[in-house]
Amino acid sequence: MKFYIDTADIEEIRAANSRGWVDGVTTNPTLVAKTGRKHEDVIKDICREVNGLISAEVLSTEANAMVKEGYELAKIHDNIVVKIPMSEDGLIAVKKLASEGIKTNVTLVFSPIQALMVAKAGATLCSPFVGRLDDIGYSGMNLISQIIQIYKNYDLPTQVLVASIRHPIHVLDAAMTGAHIVTIPYKVMQQLVNHPLTDKGIAQFLVDAQKVPQ
Ligand code: G3P
């Protein structure tokens, strides 16, 4: 399973990358706004930092405008994936961009049937949001299993990118479903490394090391 980092913060990206945790990056308007910088500048910096696919989201909601924005984003770097919100207009834009060899990621997917439509339009990546479904009392991970089953049934090449990850169990469950990619906030990546028994074990080794004759 590939790990993408879900942030536009270049310091977090650098830190995660230096630990071998970054196969790609996902951004969205909320994450870019947190940087206080211009969208294009942020995306260019990320492209310089990471050797992997980088999702950059369009802001338009009408198909032709999304395609136009997609062209501009795709010009920045070969690794750019144009991120497009789920809608009929979005799927028109996906089909057009895909027909020209431009990679796309459809975001804000909340049902298996939406995911089927995403694959039919020819998207490279499909981003179902597990945390936001859990928030309203539905099983986000059940959605992932259903999408993976549907894509397998019909040999659909679109990859499942599990998004809206809130805690380590989401990452474990995503791995158990066989999802292609999971996009994770830096804070959750750090949680994946830690275990209290590891800390306890290290502390005990250090105590015992003092007892070893010099
Ligand atoms: O990748 C999508 C993600 O950023 C959404 O996460 O926590 O805002 O639902 P969240």
Side-chain angles (χ1 to χ4, degrees), residues 6 26 28 31 83 107 129 131-132 135 161 163-166 183:
D6 196 22
T26 51
N28 62 36
L31 296 171
K83 197 171 179 188
T107 188
F129 279 31
R132 292 192 196 182
D135 288 346
L161 192 170
S164 186
I165 290 286
R166 303 282 173 73
T183 189

Side-chain angles (χ1 to χ4, degrees), residues 8-182:
D9 181 327
I10 201 75
E11 294 307 326
E12 287 187 348
I13 292 169
R14 269 190 202 126
N17 209 11
S18 72
R19 288 156 174 76
W21 302 341
V22 177
D23 300 311
V25 181
T26 51
T27 65
N28 62 36
T30 308
L31 296 171
V32 173
K34 282 186 193 162
T35 69
R37 301 176 59 221
K38 280 173 66 179
H39 188 208
E40 192 178 328
D41 294 346
V42 171
I43 298 298
K44 280 183 179 165
D45 280 357
I46 297 173
C47 289
R48 273 190 283 272
E49 205 64 38
V50 171
N51 184 19
L53 295 186
I54 293 150
S55 288
E57 190 157 342
V58 300
L59 298 177
S60 309
T61 52
E62 187 276 322
N64 289 326
M66 284 195 239
V67 170
K68 210 168 146 225
E69 263 192 78
Y71 289 151
E72 291 307 311
L73 291 169
K75 263 192 233 158
I76 295 175
H77 198 282
D78 281 350
N79 285 344
I80 291 290
V81 180
V82 180
K83 197 171 179 188
I84 295 183
M86 178 69 198
S87 67
E88 281 191 42
D89 274 73
L91 296 185
I92 294 169
V94 166
K95 184 157 170 59
K96 172 80 177 148
L97 292 168
S99 74
E100 297 177 31
I102 294 174
K103 294 178 276 299
T104 56
N105 172 7
V106 178
T107 188
L108 293 164
V109 169
F110 292 97
S111 83
I113 286 298
Q114 283 183 317
L116 178 57
M117 304 316 278
V118 167
K120 291 194 75 69
T124 317
L125 306 173
C126 173
S127 292
F129 279 31
V130 293
R132 292 192 196 182
L133 270 178
D134 291 352
D135 288 346
I136 60 160
Y138 289 85
S139 165
M141 221 35 80
N142 189 41
L143 169 65
I144 303 304
S145 303
Q146 288 177 313
I147 298 172
I148 287 170
Q149 184 65 57
I150 291 168
Y151 285 8
K152 271 198 187 131
N153 287 349
Y154 300 103
D155 240 348
L156 296 168
T158 302
Q159 297 207 339
V160 179
L161 192 170
V162 183
S164 186
I165 290 286
R166 303 282 173 73
H167 49 69
I169 300 295
H170 274 153
V171 180
L172 171 63
D173 288 345
M176 295 303 289
T177 64
H180 305 90
I181 308 161
V182 66

